[in-house]
Amino acid sequence: MEKLKSFKGDKTWQELLLDYALYIILIIMIIGVIAADPTFLSKNNFLKILAQASTRGILALGVAGMIVLAGTDLSAGRILGCGAAISASLLQSVTYASRMYPQITEPLPLVLPLLLSIVVCVAFCLLNGFGVAKLHMHAFIISLGTQLIAYGALCLYIDSQKGGAQPIASLDPRYIELVNGYWLGIPHLVYFMVICAVIMWFVWNKTTLGKNMFAIGGNPEAAAVSGVNVAKNIMMIYLVAGILYGIAAFLEAGRIQSVTTATGTNYDLDAISGCVIGGVSFSGGVGTIPGILIGVIILQVINYSLYYLGVNAYLQYIIKGLIIILAVAIDVRKYIAKK
């Protein structure tokens, strides 16, 4: 009884409902989908959802760092598109006559396009980081500009093909197997996401960089006074995000097997939504890795269920937009309540 009283004393039922309101609403939506079509609840669908959530989950792990810093990244999706185009163009089958690089006559080591994808994505992220850390620009503005730059670069790259703008497809079978294969009945993509999540959990919770990130996100002035090099740590967080974007881009190109100028569209919004659903606060200094993964998976369940039920594509945009507004509104309400 004493524990129960203590629990009630710490948080009222209204506060608990506020904390978990979004989860409750999304779970009700999922139950409604299952009720509408019980065949949705199958192992095959669950594995598909996990595979689709994997690349967005890795992307979200990078975006989450910016949100913990009380910022955001609107360019993540377009940056991923650039990395995906690089990966796919270098790993087209050498027997494909219309490949982008006909001078490549022998299959490249898979690690080379992965590294190039990471380099490209890191370069864009460091541009964002420089704008935030050194020029003191708001993350929204600098990432909006980088989004346009990355999209322009992606269009120019794809349009530079000999036959003009066309999807980058016909990929190396080794690449497709690495990304889309299964081990012990589980997609490789899920393992990649789990590995990235474990590494990021360690970075966030067991390293100085992680502790400094939360300190800066909570109160940058106090962090600076306590001896934290704010600019350096912000740049490091953006560097880590670029590495994660590069990995996600490499895997996404192999997953979809056809990269176009539309690749990565709205992925940043999915990543941001997943982070906020998973408890990463826009007020800064709050977030957990398990929460991010849960948020991304729940969002992907909603996305897949809407597609599965044949809901109008335009209506799907409306529903996703409402989820984002609701998630941010609840986050702001929590912040006001704490203040």
Side-chain angles (χ1 to χ4, degrees), residues 82-123:
C82 288
I86 295 291
S87 301
S89 63
L90 293 174
L91 286 173
Q92 286 182 295
S93 175
V94 293
T95 60
Y96 179 50
S98 299
R99 61 188 183 277
M100 192 166 182
Y101 294 107
Q103 59 269 35
I104 300 177
T105 56
E106 294 293 332
L108 294 175
L110 295 178
V111 70
L112 179 59
L114 170 61
L115 292 175
L116 288 174
S117 173
I118 290 174
V119 168
V120 169
C121 292
V122 164

Coordinates of all heavy atoms in Angstrom, one line a residue, residues 82-123:
C82 N 21.4 10.2 -51.6 CA 22.7 10.4 -52.2 C 23.6 9.2 -51.9 O 24.2 8.6 -52.8 CB 23.4 11.7 -51.7 SG 22.7 13.2 -52.3
G83 N 23.6 8.7 -50.7 CA 24.4 7.6 -50.3 C 23.9 6.3 -51.0 O 24.7 5.5 -51.5
A84 N 22.6 6.2 -51.2 CA 22.0 5.0 -51.8 C 22.4 5.0 -53.3 O 22.7 4.0 -53.9 CB 20.5 5.0 -51.7
A85 N 22.4 6.2 -53.9 CA 22.7 6.3 -55.4 C 24.2 5.9 -55.6 O 24.5 5.2 -56.6 CB 22.4 7.7 -55.9
I86 N 25.1 6.4 -54.7 CA 26.5 6.0 -54.8 C 26.6 4.5 -54.7 O 27.3 3.9 -55.5 CB 27.3 6.7 -53.7 CG1 27.3 8.2 -53.9 CG2 28.7 6.2 -53.7 CD1 28.1 8.7 -55.1
S87 N 26.0 3.9 -53.7 CA 26.1 2.5 -53.4 C 25.6 1.7 -54.6 O 26.3 0.7 -55.1 CB 25.4 2.1 -52.2 OG 25.9 2.8 -51.0
A88 N 24.4 2.0 -55.1 CA 23.8 1.2 -56.2 C 24.6 1.4 -57.5 O 24.7 0.4 -58.2 CB 22.3 1.7 -56.4
S89 N 25.0 2.6 -57.8 CA 25.7 2.8 -59.1 C 27.1 2.0 -59.1 O 27.5 1.6 -60.2 CB 26.0 4.3 -59.3 OG 26.8 4.8 -58.3
L90 N 27.7 1.9 -58.0 CA 29.0 1.1 -57.9 C 28.8 -0.4 -57.9 O 29.7 -1.1 -58.1 CB 29.8 1.6 -56.8 CG 30.3 3.1 -56.9 CD1 31.0 3.5 -55.6 CD2 31.3 3.2 -58.1
L91 N 27.6 -0.8 -57.5 CA 27.3 -2.2 -57.3 C 26.3 -2.8 -58.3 O 25.6 -3.7 -58.1 CB 26.9 -2.5 -55.9 CG 28.0 -2.4 -54.8 CD1 27.4 -2.5 -53.4 CD2 29.0 -3.5 -55.1
Q92 N 26.2 -2.1 -59.5 CA 25.4 -2.7 -60.6 C 26.1 -3.9 -61.1 O 27.3 -4.0 -61.1 CB 25.1 -1.7 -61.7 CG 24.2 -0.6 -61.3 CD 23.9 0.4 -62.4 OE1 24.8 1.1 -62.8 NE2 22.7 0.4 -62.9
S93 N 25.3 -4.9 -61.6 CA 25.9 -6.1 -62.1 C 26.8 -5.7 -63.3 O 26.4 -4.9 -64.2 CB 24.8 -7.0 -62.6 OG 25.3 -8.1 -63.2
V94 N 28.0 -6.3 -63.4 CA 29.0 -6.1 -64.4 C 28.5 -6.6 -65.8 O 29.0 -6.3 -66.8 CB 30.3 -6.6 -64.1 CG1 30.9 -5.9 -62.9 CG2 30.3 -8.1 -63.9
T95 N 27.4 -7.4 -65.8 CA 26.9 -7.9 -67.0 C 25.7 -7.1 -67.6 O 25.2 -7.3 -68.6 CB 26.3 -9.4 -66.8 OG1 25.3 -9.4 -65.8 CG2 27.5 -10.3 -66.4
Y96 N 25.4 -6.0 -66.8 CA 24.3 -5.2 -67.2 C 24.8 -4.1 -68.2 O 25.7 -3.3 -67.9 CB 23.7 -4.5 -66.0 CG 22.6 -3.5 -66.3 CD1 21.5 -3.9 -67.1 CD2 22.6 -2.2 -65.7 CE1 20.5 -3.0 -67.3 CE2 21.5 -1.3 -65.9 CZ 20.5 -1.7 -66.7 OH 19.5 -0.8 -67.0
A97 N 24.3 -4.1 -69.4 CA 24.9 -3.3 -70.5 C 24.7 -1.8 -70.2 O 25.6 -1.0 -70.6 CB 24.2 -3.7 -71.8
S98 N 23.7 -1.4 -69.6 CA 23.4 0.0 -69.4 C 23.8 0.5 -68.0 O 23.3 1.5 -67.5 CB 21.9 0.3 -69.5 OG 21.5 0.0 -70.8
R99 N 24.8 -0.2 -67.4 CA 25.3 0.2 -66.1 C 25.9 1.6 -66.1 O 26.4 2.0 -67.1 CB 26.2 -0.8 -65.5 CG 27.5 -1.0 -66.2 CD 28.2 -2.2 -65.6 NE 29.5 -2.5 -66.3 CZ 29.7 -3.2 -67.4 NH1 28.6 -3.7 -68.1 NH2 30.9 -3.4 -67.9
M100 N 25.9 2.3 -65.0 CA 26.4 3.7 -64.9 C 27.9 3.8 -65.1 O 28.3 4.8 -65.7 CB 26.0 4.3 -63.5 CG 26.2 5.8 -63.4 SD 25.3 6.4 -62.0 CE 25.7 8.2 -62.2
Y101 N 28.6 2.8 -64.7 CA 30.1 2.8 -64.8 C 30.5 1.6 -65.6 O 30.9 0.5 -65.0 CB 30.8 2.8 -63.5 CG 30.5 4.1 -62.7 CD1 29.7 4.1 -61.6 CD2 31.1 5.3 -63.1 CE1 29.5 5.3 -60.8 CE2 30.9 6.5 -62.3 CZ 30.1 6.4 -61.2 OH 29.9 7.6 -60.5
P102 N 30.4 1.6 -67.0 CA 30.8 0.5 -67.8 C 32.3 0.1 -67.7 O 32.7 -1.0 -68.0 CB 30.5 1.0 -69.2 CG 30.5 2.4 -69.1 CD 30.0 2.8 -67.8
Q103 N 33.1 1.0 -67.2 CA 34.5 0.8 -67.0 C 34.8 -0.2 -65.8 O 35.9 -0.8 -65.7 CB 35.3 2.0 -66.8 CG 34.9 2.9 -65.6 CD 33.9 3.9 -65.9 OE1 33.0 3.7 -66.8 NE2 34.0 5.1 -65.3
I104 N 33.8 -0.4 -65.0 CA 33.9 -1.4 -63.9 C 33.6 -2.8 -64.5 O 32.4 -3.1 -64.7 CB 33.0 -1.1 -62.7 CG1 33.4 0.3 -62.1 CG2 33.1 -2.2 -61.6 CD1 32.4 0.7 -61.0
T105 N 34.6 -3.6 -64.8 CA 34.4 -4.9 -65.4 C 34.4 -6.0 -64.5 O 34.1 -7.2 -64.8 CB 35.4 -5.1 -66.5 OG1 36.7 -4.9 -66.0 CG2 35.2 -4.0 -67.6
E106 N 34.9 -5.8 -63.2 CA 35.0 -6.8 -62.2 C 34.2 -6.3 -61.0 O 34.2 -5.1 -60.6 CB 36.4 -7.1 -61.8 CG 37.3 -7.7 -62.9 CD 36.8 -9.1 -63.3 OE1 36.3 -9.8 -62.4 OE2 37.0 -9.5 -64.4
P107 N 33.4 -7.2 -60.3 CA 32.7 -6.8 -59.1 C 33.6 -6.2 -58.1 O 34.6 -6.7 -57.8 CB 32.0 -8.1 -58.7 CG 32.0 -9.0 -59.9 CD 33.2 -8.6 -60.7
L108 N 33.1 -5.0 -57.6 CA 33.9 -4.4 -56.5 C 33.6 -5.0 -55.2 O 32.6 -5.6 -54.9 CB 33.4 -2.9 -56.4 CG 33.7 -2.0 -57.6 CD1 33.1 -0.6 -57.4 CD2 35.2 -1.9 -57.8
P109 N 34.6 -4.9 -54.2 CA 34.4 -5.4 -52.9 C 33.2 -4.6 -52.3 O 33.1 -3.4 -52.4 CB 35.7 -5.1 -52.1 CG 36.7 -4.9 -53.2 CD 36.0 -4.4 -54.4
L110 N 32.3 -5.3 -51.6 CA 31.1 -4.6 -51.1 C 31.4 -3.5 -50.1 O 30.7 -2.5 -50.0 CB 30.2 -5.7 -50.4 CG 29.6 -6.7 -51.3 CD1 28.7 -7.7 -50.5 CD2 28.7 -6.1 -52.5
V111 N 32.5 -3.6 -49.4 CA 32.9 -2.6 -48.4 C 33.2 -1.3 -49.0 O 33.1 -0.3 -48.4 CB 34.0 -3.2 -47.5 CG1 35.3 -3.2 -48.3 CG2 34.2 -2.3 -46.3
L112 N 33.7 -1.3 -50.3 CA 34.1 0.0 -50.9 C 33.0 0.9 -51.1 O 33.0 2.1 -50.7 CB 34.9 -0.3 -52.2 CG 35.3 0.9 -53.0 CD1 36.3 1.8 -52.1 CD2 36.0 0.5 -54.3
P113 N 31.8 0.5 -51.7 CA 30.7 1.4 -51.9 C 30.1 1.8 -50.5 O 29.6 2.9 -50.3 CB 29.7 0.6 -52.6 CG 30.5 -0.4 -53.4 CD 31.6 -0.7 -52.5
L114 N 30.2 0.9 -49.5 CA 29.7 1.2 -48.2 C 30.5 2.4 -47.6 O 30.0 3.4 -47.1 CB 29.8 0.0 -47.3 CG 29.6 0.3 -45.8 CD1 28.2 0.8 -45.5 CD2 29.8 -1.0 -45.0
L115 N 31.8 2.3 -47.7 CA 32.7 3.4 -47.2 C 32.5 4.7 -48.0 O 32.4 5.8 -47.3 CB 34.2 3.0 -47.3 CG 34.6 1.8 -46.4 CD1 36.0 1.4 -46.7 CD2 34.4 2.2 -45.0
L116 N 32.3 4.6 -49.3 CA 32.0 5.9 -50.0 C 30.7 6.5 -49.7 O 30.5 7.7 -49.6 CB 32.0 5.5 -51.5 CG 33.4 5.3 -52.1 CD1 33.3 4.8 -53.6 CD2 34.3 6.5 -52.0
S117 N 29.7 5.6 -49.4 CA 28.4 6.1 -49.0 C 28.5 6.8 -47.6 O 27.9 7.9 -47.4 CB 27.4 4.9 -48.8 OG 26.2 5.3 -48.2
I118 N 29.3 6.3 -46.7 CA 29.5 6.9 -45.4 C 30.2 8.2 -45.6 O 29.9 9.2 -44.9 CB 30.3 5.9 -44.5 CG1 29.4 4.7 -44.1 CG2 30.8 6.7 -43.3 CD1 30.2 3.7 -43.3
V119 N 31.2 8.3 -46.5 CA 32.0 9.5 -46.7 C 31.1 10.6 -47.2 O 31.1 11.8 -46.7 CB 33.2 9.3 -47.7 CG1 33.7 10.6 -48.1 CG2 34.2 8.4 -47.0
V120 N 30.2 10.3 -48.2 CA 29.3 11.3 -48.7 C 28.3 11.8 -47.7 O 28.1 13.0 -47.5 CB 28.5 10.7 -49.9 CG1 27.4 11.6 -50.3 CG2 29.5 10.5 -51.1
C121 N 27.8 10.9 -46.9 CA 26.8 11.2 -45.9 C 27.4 12.0 -44.8 O 26.8 13.0 -44.2 CB 26.1 10.0 -45.3 SG 25.0 9.1 -46.5
V122 N 28.6 11.6 -44.4 CA 29.3 12.4 -43.3 C 29.6 13.8 -43.8 O 29.5 14.8 -43.0 CB 30.6 11.6 -42.9 CG1 31.6 12.6 -42.1 CG2 30.3 10.4 -42.1
A123 N 30.0 14.0 -45.0 CA 30.3 15.3 -45.6 C 29.1 16.2 -45.4 O 29.2 17.4 -45.0 CB 30.7 15.2 -47.0

